[in-house]
Amino acid sequence: MRTPIIAGNWKMNGSLALLEDFGHAFSEAALPESIEVVILPPFPYLANADEAFEASLVQLGAQTVNPEEQGAFTGEVSASMLKEFGVRFVLVGHSERRTLFREDDSAVLARARAALNSGLTPILCVGETLEEREAGRTESIVLGQIDAVLGELDSQQRRELVIAYEPVWAIGTGRTATPEQAQQVHAAIRQHLHAYEHELGNGVRLLYGGSMKADNAAQLLAQPDIDGGLIGGASLKTDDFLAICHAAG
Ligand code: 13P
């Protein structure tokens, strides 16, 4: 019913050589047709990635976008520019952007809007810190981050979104949420989406992110409300990333 997505966020990693490896590995290896696969390399590699993945089912994503269309914003990239390079998805609200680059909820909303206006699918990232989890605030933090964006969009726009639950304490730490912990938050998110509109809860894909790896992906992906993964470290190795794609297919 909901097509799973496996998305590889390379963050500020990779090289032309790695891109070439992925291009070969993913055009030769049969990918499950029942899933969507997305790779999100750093900006300078997008043009090459568009070519490298031309013969495969891999789609392209970007890691961020500036809300403005064009102008004097040194160092920034707009949604229409991403579109020209075959980009289909863009991350908004990744915890590294929220903390390291001080993007607050209104900055996340502006980026989601810019993406939607250019026909890109925003992958809205949400998640609590360890401190927030231990204080019993996981759901209020996560649902609050979702409302800050969804509450400002119309019904059609909300349906275009993908949401990624990435507990901050699980990102890059090797400490994965257990399948039960992840499912619990995913179920709460889905229930919350149902409250907006029944169809929204049924249709929106909810990805899990945070130390997902070849050896824990199957258990996480087997949960009823987990529709895929947003993978960092393990998306930099062709074999590991392929194994995760197969666990989803
Ligand atoms: P890791 O898979 O390295 O924990 O990163 C997750 C993430 O932040 C993906 O966006």
Side-chain angles (χ1 to χ4, degrees):
M1 165 181 90
R2 292 183 295 269
T3 305
I5 301 180
I6 296 297
N9 175 12
W10 282 12
K11 309 193 179 183
M12 200 172 75
N13 296 298
S15 60
L16 281 177
L18 186 71
L19 193 59
E20 208 170 296
D21 284 353
F22 268 77
H24 288 141
F26 280 77
S27 62
E28 282 157 19
L31 283 174
E33 280 180 18
S34 55
I35 69 167
E36 290 189 64
V37 179
V38 184
I39 290 188
L40 305 94
F43 286 147
Y45 300 127
L46 286 171
N48 295 66
D50 194 20
E51 265 178 48
F53 297 127
E54 204 174 16
S56 79
L57 293 172
V58 175
Q59 304 180 73
L60 268 193
Q63 299 173 17
T64 185
V65 63
N66 188 277
E68 302 294 335
E69 185 53 33
Q70 59 178 40
F73 302 101
T74 301
E76 293 295 286
V77 172
S78 73
S80 59
M81 293 171 185
L82 296 174
K83 197 84 207 243
E84 285 201 288
F85 289 93
V87 169
R88 304 277 304 277
F89 295 85
V90 62
L91 298 182
V92 298
H94 191 282
S95 78
E96 287 149 21
R97 303 288 319 174
R98 290 181 193 262
T99 51
L100 302 173
F101 302 98
R102 299 205 173 81
E103 290 177 5
D104 61 9
D105 282 335
S106 70
V108 177
L109 171 64
R111 284 160 174 75
R113 275 196 209 282
L116 289 165
N117 289 341
S118 286
L120 301 176
T121 299
I123 302 178
L124 169 63
C125 304
V126 297
E128 83 288 1
T129 62
L130 188 57
E131 203 182 14
E132 289 161 343
R133 170 164 283 263
E134 286 173 348
R137 296 174 60 214
T138 298
E139 283 184 21
S140 70
I141 294 291
V142 164
L143 301 183
Q145 289 170 336
I146 289 176
D147 286 342
V149 174
L150 270 66
E152 303 298 323
L153 299 178
D154 65 30
S155 154
Q156 177 59 38
Q157 291 172 319
R158 284 179 202 134
R159 290 179 194 209
E160 305 286 328
L161 291 183
V162 171
I163 295 177
Y165 169 57
E166 298 203 300
V168 177
W169 49 271
I171 295 177
T173 58
R175 184 177 166 191
T176 319
T178 64
E180 295 72 28
Q181 283 174 322
Q183 166 58 24
Q184 196 177 13
V185 180
H186 280 236
I189 295 173
R190 196 171 305 285
Q191 199 180 11
H192 194 67
L193 298 179
H194 278 308
Y196 273 89
E197 213 180 335
H198 193 65
E199 275 314 299
L200 190 68
N202 286 342
V204 167
R205 288 172 292 177
L206 305 181
L207 316 184
Y208 168 79
S211 300
M212 191 187 265
K213 304 213 157 33
D215 61 7
N216 62 24
Q219 272 187 308
L220 286 158
L221 295 167
Q223 302 302 310
D225 290 303
I226 300 185
D227 306 313
L230 180 56
I231 295 107
S235 74
L236 295 166
K237 297 174 197 138
T238 51
D239 290 352
D240 289 13
F241 194 62
L242 269 173
I244 297 172
C245 291
H246 284 284

